[in-house]
Amino acid sequence: MLNTQVTSKQSPSVPTIKDVAKAAGCSTATVSRALATPEKVSDATRERVNQAIAQVGYAPNIAARNLRRAESKTIVALLPDISNPFFSEIISGMEDVAHQAGYQILIGDCEHDPARAEAYFRLLSTNQADGIVLLTSEIPKTLIKQADGQADGQADFPLVMACEFFSDIDLPLIAIDNHQASCQAIDYLVSLGHQRIATLTGPAGNPICLERLRGYRDTLSVHGLIDQVCVAEGDFSFRSGFQQGLALLDNAQRPTAIFCHSDEMAVGVLKAARQLDITVPGQLSVVGFDNIGLSEYCDPELTTISQPRNEIGQQAMQSLLHLLRGERVIRRQTLSSHLIVRKSTGRVSG
Amino acid sequence: MLNTQVTSKQSPSVPTIKDVAKAAGCSTATVSRALATPEKVSDATRERVNQAIAQVGYAPNIAARNLRRAESKTIVALLPDISNPFFSEIISGMEDVAHQAGYQILIGDCEHDPARAEAYFRLLSTNQADGIVLLTSEIPKTLIKQADGQADGQADFPLVMACEFFSDIDLPLIAIDNHQASCQAIDYLVSLGHQRIATLTGPAGNPICLERLRGYRDTLSVHGLIDQVCVAEGDFSFRSGFQQGLALLDNAQRPTAIFCHSDEMAVGVLKAARQLDITVPGQLSVVGFDNIGLSEYCDPELTTISQPRNEIGQQAMQSLLHLLRGERVIRRQTLSSHLIVRKSTGRVSG
DNA sequence: GCTAAAAATGTAAATGATTACATAGCGCTC
DNA sequence: GAGCGCTATGTAATCATTTACATTTTTAGC
């Protein structure tokens, strides 16, 4: 008689739910239930199953589970540029909540390339992702329109926005009040005696920058300074801060204060001022935005607006999880920002 | 007769390979082949299949594919701290290569927590990830030991290290020569006349820091300055640079130069010097490490060591892809770093 | 035009888990 | 002790794709 105990599988292949069932002396259904809905299984069986799992070293095959359940337990965090430290704390907040709920975060770095954004959106339709937290408005709007095509107006498309938003598409949003934050910064500068206040925005057309710009204009208006409006456009980077800083400052009629839409641009402006021998805050006040780690360590330390980044991330993920459970979601959650006064701002010089 | 044209599925559910097969008038196997191995299908059929795919709007279900192929096309990039901008460019390099080959990058932020690292390693055994690029040595070594348990000594475990490494575990590694880079920095400082040169390292025991420390010691030794060795320990952050900077500098016998193991720590040291009214580079020279974006924008601009971060990422991913294909892999790839001299270093003052 | 080899295609099993449905067992009531 | 309801469990279909193997068709050589 031949050896009937042929090794049915070549190597000690990774154990499946069948192996557990065999070891526990029950069916695969019971094992599955013991894991997914322990309360539906008798104490004795549950105990046996758990021992069997430990004994054979079982770990569920997630691809199989995902296939059957038609979900991936993966959330895409879509952002414009991973090298911007602004996002890391938001991601961190998202991960806290996501991991708790058994979800993973896939970071989608668009690098300002629409094709990348599209690729990440495609993950939704191929069941590789269950939802998206959108941290940029720099993507083709068609991606959302086609995805969001619900007749009832109330999108149940699993997408929430954080920080950034679209002016013409209504999606659940977690963000600060950019208009108000901007007003606060300009008010503060005016209170220091500044009259020629410039602002250095992010990319043209970016809705949050437009909000901030509106706050800038409104506040100047309130103080009768509307004819002093002076706007330069950057892209949030050190480099654009430096370049636009030079352009704004190398000028007899130069501003006495610059309100920047990111801390990195503010640091670029600081460098431009140094190069032109303009002292900060003596001859120039600079305000940043975001309160990234650097703002405490540059010279001079940066006056800036702080966003509750971790909380934004948490809330965004929380909202998305609600959406995924089919629950209704708050359309707009506004978290509070605040102005942090450090050393880069001062009273206007004679 | 009843309406036989009952909608077999409730909603216009997402099309599967069966729908394509039906539309193209062939079997699912042929459709699958037309996609995976087009050369095995006749021109006419391939054409019909492609049209059918476009017609029904088919996209393959990845979970099913992953299950069947027992792979995930996902690579984990495990790093100690996502908020460190040093990593973003490496990730970017990894993504370029990975996407080209049809792989995704899952960023695993360990946040210095071993449990997180373990969770990401578990993705391997559950088929949720195909390989790991390890960018930190701050993980429990047992994770690798148990995973790497191959008798032949030549690990075919799908893991490569980049930048960081273990002193006692031999894994494929892509990195610069930290010892040499450190020698170069110290040599340069000595050539400027410095004798009391301190070094501010990363976390104690970190192998790359030990390498750099060795270079520091060796070079001082060569110049007969071995009795001037002065070492402080940080953790790569702004904050630790500032604190250790104060400790090193608030002292009559203070060093005239500090070699920091990260740019952020160097910027922290700059702040400490400002606070103590020590001019840089007049009374103190500072050298950083990594050449992150900030180093051109701080004051003074930072002399630092540049690592080819994008290339490191590319090579690391390339090596991992080789491993995954079962090919042999270069155990150690050393890329070249170089010293970038800016404004934070100068001749020692009388 | 026949045959063998090669190419193209189809059939059906397999991947590993979940779950609708069926069934068994038990305790309880009347 | 028949009937009911409840819990616990098993059976087998299902998810969407890939692929070994079988079968058919085409090509080429003579």
Side-chain angles (χ1 to χ4, degrees), chain B residues 248-321:
Chain B
L248 285 169
L249 295 172
D250 197 4
N251 183 324
Q253 278 298 308
R254 69 169 193 247
T256 63
I258 303 180
F259 169 48
C260 304
H261 287 190
S262 83
D263 286 343
E264 299 204 340
M265 287 198 296
V267 170
V269 167
L270 292 180
K271 175 169 172 175
R274 275 198 305 278
Q275 188 155 313
L276 297 170
D277 274 319
I278 298 170
T279 61
V280 178
Q283 300 169 279
L284 175 72
S285 286
V286 177
V287 177
F289 211 111
D290 293 343
N291 191 33
I292 63 175
L294 168 61
S295 55
E296 270 188 274
Y297 291 91
C298 56
D299 181 30
E301 298 169 32
L302 210 54
T303 294
T304 189
I305 288 167
S306 163
Q307 300 198 42
R309 295 186 282 154
N310 199 288
E311 198 186 344
I312 290 175
Q314 291 187 31
Q315 296 286 352
M317 185 51 59
Q318 205 62 263
S319 289
L320 187 52
L321 292 179

Side-chain angles (χ1 to χ4, degrees), chain B residues 185-303:
Chain B
I186 305 300
D187 258 334
Y188 173 68
L189 288 171
V190 171
S191 80
L192 291 174
H194 292 277
Q195 304 223 328
R196 284 202 307 282
I197 302 171
T199 190
L200 177 49
T201 73
N206 182 317
I208 66 174
C209 293
L210 290 176
E211 282 288 288
R212 293 174 191 175
L213 203 50
R214 203 163 55 79
Y216 165 79
R217 284 209 155 90
D218 291 353
T219 309
L220 286 189
S221 218
V222 164
H223 295 288
L225 297 168
I226 192 65
D227 53 337
Q228 300 287 344
V229 162
C230 171
V231 178
E233 178 195 333
D235 63 4
F236 297 129
S237 70
F238 287 124
R239 160 173 267 267
S240 72
F242 175 63
Q243 290 175 329
Q244 297 301 312
L246 283 181
L248 285 169
L249 295 172
D250 197 4
N251 183 324
Q253 278 298 308
R254 69 169 193 247
T256 63
I258 303 180
F259 169 48
C260 304
H261 287 190
S262 83
D263 286 343
E264 299 204 340
M265 287 198 296
V267 170
V269 167
L270 292 180
K271 175 169 172 175
R274 275 198 305 278
Q275 188 155 313
L276 297 170
D277 274 319
I278 298 170
T279 61
V280 178
Q283 300 169 279
L284 175 72
S285 286
V286 177
V287 177
F289 211 111
D290 293 343
N291 191 33
I292 63 175
L294 168 61
S295 55
E296 270 188 274
Y297 291 91
C298 56
D299 181 30
E301 298 169 32
L302 210 54
T303 294

Side-chain angles (χ1 to χ4, degrees), chain A residues 92-260:
Chain A
S92 185
M94 288 177 55
E95 285 192 329
D96 290 346
V97 175
H99 288 169
Q100 201 106 68
Y103 283 82
Q104 272 191 337
I105 304 272
L106 181 66
I107 296 175
D109 183 3
C110 293
E111 294 185 1
H112 307 285
D113 176 358
R116 293 234 184 183
E118 199 179 337
Y120 284 109
F121 263 81
R122 216 173 6 242
L123 298 184
L124 274 189
S125 46
T126 56
N127 265 316
Q128 290 178 95
D130 296 343
I132 296 182
V133 174
L134 194 53
L135 290 151
T136 172
S137 57
E138 265 191 23
I139 64 159
K141 289 184 187 175
T142 50
L143 288 179
I144 295 172
K145 291 255 175 67
Q146 70 195 34
D148 190 28
Q150 307 291 329
D152 61 5
Q154 183 79 13
D156 63 353
F157 186 67
L159 183 136
V160 310
M161 301 207 68
C163 299
E164 304 245 352
F165 60 93
F166 297 106
S167 52
D168 52 351
I169 310 181
D170 180 39
L171 291 164
L173 170 64
I174 291 86
I176 59 163
D177 182 335
N178 283 282
H179 177 266
Q180 186 226 298
S182 179
C183 291
Q184 193 180 3
I186 306 300
D187 258 334
Y188 173 68
L189 289 170
V190 170
S191 80
L192 291 174
H194 293 277
Q195 305 223 329
R196 287 203 305 283
I197 303 172
T199 190
L200 176 49
T201 73
N206 182 317
I208 67 173
C209 293
L210 291 176
E211 283 288 287
R212 294 175 189 175
L213 203 49
R214 203 162 56 78
Y216 165 78
R217 284 207 156 90
D218 290 353
T219 307
L220 287 189
S221 219
V222 164
H223 295 287
L225 297 168
I226 192 67
D227 54 337
Q228 300 287 345
V229 161
C230 172
V231 178
E233 178 194 334
D235 63 4
F236 296 130
S237 69
F238 286 124
R239 160 173 267 267
S240 72
F242 175 64
Q243 290 174 331
Q244 297 301 311
L246 284 179
L248 285 169
L249 294 172
D250 196 4
N251 184 327
Q253 278 296 310
R254 68 165 194 248
T256 64
I258 302 180
F259 169 49
C260 304

Side-chain angles (χ1 to χ4, degrees), chain B residues 2 6-7 27 48 50 55 83 104 200 213 241 245 259 276 309 316 321 325 332 341:
Chain B
L2 291 169
V6 175
T7 50
S27 72
R48 256 185 306 129
N50 286 335
Q55 185 196 317
S83 71
Q104 274 192 337
L200 177 49
L213 203 50
F259 169 48
L276 297 170
R309 295 186 282 154
L321 292 179
R325 291 192 210 104
R332 178 80 166 86
V341 175

Side-chain angles (χ1 to χ4, degrees), chain A residues 3 27 40 59 74 85 102 122 137 162 168 226 305 317 339:
Chain A
N3 181 0
S27 73
K40 293 194 175 175
T74 297
R122 216 173 6 242
S137 57
D168 52 351
I226 192 67
I305 289 167
M317 183 52 57
L339 182 71

